[in-house]
Amino acid sequence: MASHTIKGLSMKPILGDFGAEVLGVDWSQVPLPEDLITTLIRIQDKYAVLIFRDTGLNNERHVAFSAQLGRLEVNPVWGGSERVGTPYLFDVSNIESDGSLVKKDTRRWHHALGNALWHTDSSFNQHRSKYSLLLAHAVPGCGQGTTEFADTRRAWSDIPDSEKPKLRALVVEHELWHSRKLASPNEYEELTSEERNAKPPSYHKLVQQGPSGEETFFLAAHAKALFDDDGKRLADTQKIIWDLIAHCTQVKYTFTAEWKAVGTLMWWDNRQSMHRASPYTEKMRARDLRRSTVIDDGPLAFGMPESYIEKLQV
């Protein structure tokens, strides 16, 4: 798809109608005019992943812009990540609070390994997220900082029609600690009581509707189990989940975006995509990325009702 302009913004599509680099936003005027916010949301609905370069944003304006898109999720570990200076930003860097780089075989290093699995941010919360907005404050160098994105809309549309009814009926149990144990099984063999209490599992339909009404997968490495309409757990549930993730992450549905410079902002819709980060390496220089998360306010935001969760045969 060729580059084009929408209301003064230059669009460079990346993979058809999935992903686009956007130029022309004057980030110095944050909070942005409401008509511009409306235009950006319309563009976001279409492309699911938007990339902005050289934004010059700082924490304050990053948060202010994000808040124009909806209510922000509060970092549940605020008190342990004061380095970023606000509870509305998640510190997803390889930098400790004292400025040193994260060392291999620390709990934080192992926790970050889960980010290199295909996932959807905050799917493990019963009140799920809508948008993630990740801003670069320091990049480690060419090829060492990338994020891959997968189009779960097109992946769903390519499923044979004969298979779709049974997939629409399924419910996914999402749990943060499941993905962490997959990425680092020895480290997460035992959870601390604080970890266990902080993040119980959530339950969401496998097939959702995107902002324009189109169907899409809502899937992640956090997916621990699948259940049918009656709350019965499916046999071979992990095989089914990872077969679906493999389907969604075929080359034809994915692209890789590089964090080329400080000020790069990537804004994606968790209802329409999955993503994964490039993993930490011991030789990596400082990679300072900070994420705001906008809570979903749509009809499917709260996942399955309590009446369904109570009958689950776990």
Side-chain angles (χ1 to χ4, degrees):
M1 186 180 295
S3 298
H4 58 284
T5 301
I6 299 177
K7 291 194 173 182
L9 301 178
S10 177
M11 312 292 305
K12 295 182 178 180
I14 298 171
L15 189 66
D17 61 357
F18 181 59
E21 291 208 22
V22 182
L23 295 84
V25 177
D26 182 0
W27 294 103
S28 68
Q29 62 177 330
V30 171
L32 299 178
E34 285 305 315
D35 61 337
L36 179 53
I37 292 293
T38 299
T39 298
L40 287 171
I41 290 174
R42 182 160 61 90
I43 294 169
Q44 169 59 247
D45 288 349
K46 177 178 176 62
Y47 289 100
V49 181
L50 301 183
I51 300 173
F52 306 88
R53 305 288 185 184
D54 304 315
T55 64
L57 289 172
N58 57 16
N59 281 355
E60 182 180 9
R61 285 183 291 128
H62 179 184
V63 171
F65 168 60
S66 303
Q68 291 188 273
L69 306 174
R71 186 159 66 90
L72 300 185
E73 186 176 330
V74 174
N75 188 340
V77 296
W78 177 248
S81 58
E82 296 91 338
R83 191 184 70 84
V84 300
T86 169
Y88 295 112
L89 292 178
F90 291 70
D91 185 357
V92 289
S93 71
N94 65 343
I95 305 170
E96 298 284 15
S97 57
D98 63 2
S100 64
L101 298 186
V102 174
K103 293 181 175 58
K104 190 175 181 180
D105 290 334
T106 61
R107 193 70 159 180
R108 181 168 175 175
W109 177 285
H110 284 277
H111 191 278
L113 294 178
N115 294 331
L117 300 176
W118 286 106
H119 67 284
T120 305
D121 288 336
S122 299
S123 69
F124 45 75
N125 290 337
Q126 197 61 43
H127 189 179
R128 69 178 187 173
S129 70
K130 177 165 58 175
Y131 302 136
S132 294
L133 298 99
L134 191 59
L135 177 67
H137 288 251
V139 295
C142 182
Q144 295 190 63
T146 61
T147 301
E148 291 180 83
F149 295 97
D151 187 350
T152 54
R153 306 167 304 179
R154 186 179 162 206
W156 165 259
S157 69
D158 287 349
I159 290 287
D161 287 342
S162 60
E163 298 293 312
K164 288 181 177 179
K166 69 179 182 181
L167 292 174
R168 289 189 185 104
L170 298 182
V171 172
V172 185
E173 177 186 24
H174 295 260
E175 186 184 64
L176 172 62
W177 309 119
H178 175 72
S179 62
R180 269 42 194 173
K181 189 171 182 178
L182 286 176
S184 188
N186 292 331
E187 182 71 16
Y188 283 96
E189 180 65 30
E190 296 292 336
L191 299 177
T192 68
S193 58
E194 182 180 9
E195 288 170 337
R196 188 177 293 106
N197 294 332
K199 286 296 176 188
S202 67
Y203 300 89
H204 297 275
K205 293 287 287 187
L206 171 65
V207 181
Q208 305 267 347
Q209 284 189 333
S212 301
E214 74 284 6
E215 287 183 302
T216 179
F217 281 112
F218 188 63
L219 195 56
H222 311 309
K224 185 177 181 180
L226 291 170
F227 298 87
D228 65 16
D229 276 339
D230 296 322
K232 181 180 179 181
R233 181 172 177 151
L234 272 61
D236 298 325
T237 190
Q238 277 292 293
K239 182 181 186 304
I240 297 170
I241 287 168
W242 283 97
D243 283 349
L244 288 173
I245 291 176
H247 168 72
C248 291
T249 57
Q250 295 177 74
V251 172
K252 61 183 175 180
Y253 304 135
T254 64
F255 70 87
T256 301
E258 184 172 1
W259 297 89
K260 295 179 180 179
V262 172
T264 296
L265 175 69
M266 298 189 189
W267 167 18
W268 61 87
D269 189 335
N270 289 296
R271 303 166 301 176
Q272 305 190 80
S273 64
M274 284 193 293
H275 64 281
R276 65 178 178 181
S278 55
Y280 291 169
T281 68
E282 291 184 89
K283 296 182 179 180
M284 181 180 289
R285 301 197 304 269
R287 186 170 83 181
D288 190 348
L289 301 177
R290 307 176 190 185
R291 190 191 86 222
S292 61
T293 312
V294 179
I295 297 172
D296 190 9
D297 55 357
L300 301 174
F302 288 93
M304 299 304 293
E306 190 64 33
S307 58
Y308 175 86
I309 296 173
E310 288 175 350
K311 69 178 182 180
L312 290 177
Q313 301 170 28
V314 295

